[in-house]
Amino acid sequence: MSRSFPVLHKNALLLPGRRRFLKGAGALAAGTLLDPFAANAAAPVAALPPVREEDALVAFGHTGPITDGGWSTAHDRGVQAVRKAFPKLRTVYVESVPYSADATRIFRQFVAEGANMVFGTSNYGDFIKDVADRAPNVAFLECDGTSVTGNLGWYYITHWYPSYIIGIAAGLLTKTNKLGYVGTFPIPSVFASANATLLGAQSVNPACTMQAVSTNSWFDPQAATQAASALADSGCDFLCGITDEPAYLRVAESRGLKAAMWNLDMRRFGPNAYVSGVVLDFSSFYVEQIRARLNGTWKAAGNFLTLAHGVDRDAWGQTVPENIRTQADAMRDRILAGYSPFQGPIRDNNGTIRIPAGTTMDDMAIYQWDWGVQGMTGLG
């Protein structure tokens, strides 16, 4: 990951965890999308003035290389959709923006270049907020963020729903009842991903457990390979995770296991092992937000991209039996109709009831998840 300050090129390729760990599970009752994290969430929010398409500049700061085949590639596809929708619009982007003061300098340069809107495609906390506070006429959006101010909002995908759906398939496919999870950092997005998969599996197979291994990196094929091999050696016959590359899918293919992936369709790296994946599509959201900015109707807010509208399960793998597809997709249909499977009682991995009977975790509570559910080891 480069620490040098990049040069911005217009309409051309440019040369720790996505969100810092949050304490507390948050409110559990159904709520609104108002941001509970930020002390300044009540700050007045006013629309910024309109901008002509031919005069506008939109900037993107990516956490990794856009060729990673995962998270940053998914965001770059959104950028490509923006260029198609707004052919007169100028765009710039920087890859591999570090989680350091260099991020602040990059976001400041976006502003200095004349950006009307800036997207941080990962969580940069104060590194982006400090710049937004000093550039009130520029719209900022931070993926997996936590702040809403007059000109800074956040967006994230509700990946826990497709994870739960895939978990149902995992619970029906496993023969050892041991699921393995290749994690990155003990942060809310990882807890939500792993917990949702395990809960989905336990809904059809209560004997399922999950063993998690953290690699402390979003993109480290060697560490992911080692973690997956260790999980396989311990008896896990279904692997899943939240990495930006397909290393553990390759291990599953070579060991005769099943696996589910993240970000994009990766079945080519393990066609026999591939069950499905949590797939992301930021295109419509980016186009919608930029259109609002150009029209002068954009306002800072927290935004969840929901099931079938920014996130979904991938098409099922070639070796997934039809009866398992049907059973898992029945839950997808229920969720699309408004049902949430994240209902109490839900116990943590110490056996303590965290979500009482009659209570449903809303998306904001899941967004802040910081404990492992019953049957989870190696995480929380």
Side-chain angles (χ1 to χ4, degrees):
M1 181 176 290
S2 173
R3 297 279 173 171
S4 61
F5 189 63
V7 176
L8 304 184
H9 298 278
K10 297 174 178 61
N11 296 315
L13 171 67
L14 311 181
L15 256 188
R18 295 195 185 111
R19 180 149 56 101
R20 289 170 295 178
F21 194 76
L22 299 172
K23 296 293 184 182
L28 299 179
T32 69
L33 218 72
L34 293 177
D35 176 22
F37 303 107
N40 57 359
V45 177
L48 297 173
V51 184
R52 295 193 310 168
E53 181 181 331
E54 56 268 35
D55 295 333
L57 174 64
V58 178
F60 295 83
H62 298 303
T63 186
I66 62 170
T67 56
D68 66 4
W71 179 263
S72 293
T73 297
H75 285 280
D76 183 62
R77 290 182 179 180
V79 176
Q80 294 175 36
V82 167
R83 291 174 178 163
K84 183 177 180 180
F86 305 106
K88 298 177 183 178
L89 182 77
R90 294 180 300 140
T91 61
V92 295
Y93 68 90
V94 172
E95 299 176 276
S96 300
V97 177
Y99 299 96
S100 72
D102 282 343
T104 298
R105 289 191 283 273
I106 290 169
F107 292 126
R108 282 177 179 168
Q109 186 172 342
F110 286 154
V111 173
E113 287 278 318
N116 305 101
M117 193 169 201
V118 175
F119 290 84
T121 63
S122 184
N123 172 268
Y124 286 97
D126 289 341
F127 298 129
I128 192 170
K129 185 179 181 298
D130 288 348
V131 179
D133 287 346
R134 289 166 175 76
N137 294 322
V138 179
F140 288 81
L141 274 167
E142 178 186 18
C143 191
D144 202 10
T146 60
S147 294
V148 175
T149 68
N151 66 321
L152 170 65
W154 57 261
Y155 61 107
Y156 197 56
I157 62 274
T158 57
H159 57 78
W160 33 92
Y161 295 114
S163 294
Y164 190 97
I165 294 163
I166 293 169
I168 291 174
L172 296 171
L173 286 167
T174 179
K175 293 179 173 58
T176 65
N177 297 328
K178 295 181 179 180
L179 314 183
Y181 190 89
V182 180
T184 51
F185 304 92
I187 58 175
S189 56
V190 174
F191 277 100
S193 170
N195 286 339
T197 305
L198 179 54
L199 288 174
Q202 291 173 340
S203 72
V204 295
N205 183 351
C208 282
T209 61
M210 177 176 283
Q211 181 179 346
V213 175
S214 296
T215 63
N216 296 314
S217 175
W218 294 109
F219 189 92
D220 189 336
Q222 181 177 359
T225 297
Q226 293 172 347
S229 298
L231 291 168
D233 291 342
S234 70
C236 297
D237 64 352
F238 187 100
L239 302 181
C240 52
I242 197 169
T243 63
D244 290 348
E245 39 72 29
Y248 72 79
L249 177 60
R250 295 179 189 272
V251 172
E253 183 79 3
S254 68
R255 300 284 291 266
L257 312 178
K258 298 298 181 183
M261 300 303 295
W262 235 84
N263 296 300
L264 299 172
D265 186 340
M266 295 187 180
R267 72 187 69 222
R268 66 189 182 278
F269 299 106
N272 295 304
Y274 192 81
V275 171
S276 186
V278 176
V279 289
L280 317 178
D281 186 353
F282 296 98
S283 299
S284 294
F285 178 75
Y286 282 165
V287 170
E288 170 191 286
Q289 294 297 307
I290 291 171
R291 179 173 287 115
R293 178 66 188 91
L294 296 178
N295 292 340
T297 58
W298 183 87
K299 291 185 179 181
N303 302 272
F304 281 129
L305 281 65
T306 58
L307 186 67
H309 300 282
V311 65
D312 213 328
R313 63 139 181 88
D314 194 13
W316 295 108
Q318 64 184 19
T319 61
V320 180
E322 186 63 32
N323 65 314
I324 291 179
R325 301 182 187 202
T326 299
Q327 190 166 343
D329 280 342
M331 177 55 68
R332 180 178 181 274
D333 291 341
R334 292 183 68 188
I335 293 171
L336 288 173
Y339 173 78
S340 173
F342 298 102
Q343 300 182 13
I346 301 177
R347 298 177 182 270
D348 64 20
N349 51 12
N350 293 316
T352 302
I353 293 180
R354 292 292 196 101
I355 312 300
T359 300
T360 300
M361 296 181 74
D362 67 3
D363 289 334
M364 192 61 74
I366 299 171
Y367 190 45
Q368 302 175 72
W369 218 335
D370 66 353
W371 47 271
V373 298
Q374 193 166 42
M376 176 77 67
T377 58
L379 187 63

